[in-house]
Amino acid sequence: MTYDTKPILDKATNASSPLDVRYTQDNIFMRLTKIIDSHKGGDPKSSYVAQLFHKGADEILKKVGEEAIEVVMAAKDAHLPHSRENLIKEVADLWFHSLIMLSYYGVKPNNVLAELQRREGLSGIEEKALRKSVRATE
């Protein structure tokens, strides 16, 4: 899959943000996952990711929860000047910690992307109804 890698023009601020071809949406998750996976069993004194793996699921989940709250707080202020950059950074933190969580549980980003692809084209109401019907049959 390829993406347009020209700078993206933000119509609200008239600023551009470059999307480098080396950092396309379909491979950044895979590269980060490889880096995260390489820190499993690493020295907790020299790696933040290794620290989280060492501390276990509760600490990783706590960080994901904290980052989710920070995203919500940043989103509430995103209408203010220069606050959108903070929202972007907080979402990046949430995604990063979510990748750590997925790695901890042995789930690859491609599994999540496949689920998003499966839902593509479904209305939210239709997708939610399908989930309810599956749960009812389990």
Side-chain angles (χ1 to χ4, degrees):
M1 187 178 304
T2 59
Y3 297 91
D4 185 2
T5 59
K6 290 183 255 175
I8 301 166
L9 184 62
D10 183 329
K11 293 178 182 170
T13 63
N14 207 26
S16 64
S17 62
L19 179 61
D20 189 311
V21 70
R22 294 170 296 151
Y23 298 96
T24 56
Q25 294 142 334
D26 61 337
N27 68 21
I28 185 69
F29 290 126
M30 303 323 133
R31 283 197 323 278
L32 282 173
T33 297
K34 284 181 184 178
I35 293 167
I36 289 166
D37 287 347
S38 75
H39 289 271
K40 282 184 177 177
D43 182 3
K45 294 177 184 172
S46 64
S47 164
Y48 171 72
V49 173
Q51 282 178 15
L52 288 175
F53 281 125
H54 181 75
K55 290 179 180 179
D58 285 346
E59 188 65 23
I60 293 168
L61 298 174
K62 178 180 164 189
K63 282 303 297 179
V64 171
E66 288 172 4
E67 296 301 339
I69 290 167
E70 289 175 14
V71 166
V72 171
M73 292 169 34
K76 289 183 70 80
D77 293 335
H79 67 284
L80 300 172
H82 309 293
S83 295
R84 291 177 59 190
E85 184 176 315
N86 188 46
L87 176 61
I88 291 166
K89 289 177 179 180
E90 293 301 342
V91 170
D93 287 344
L94 176 60
W95 287 5
F96 179 73
H97 287 89
S98 294
L99 288 172
I100 294 170
M101 176 190 63
L102 290 173
S103 176
Y104 184 85
Y105 289 109
V107 177
K108 297 294 182 195
N110 276 343
N111 300 119
V112 178
L113 296 173
E115 176 60 16
L116 288 171
Q117 186 174 22
R118 183 192 68 77
R119 295 180 186 187
E120 186 177 15
L122 288 176
S123 78
I125 295 169
E126 181 183 13
E127 196 280 327
K128 190 172 182 179
L130 286 171
R131 280 190 279 151
K132 283 183 179 179
S133 69
V134 168
R135 286 186 194 130
T137 61
E138 291 177 346

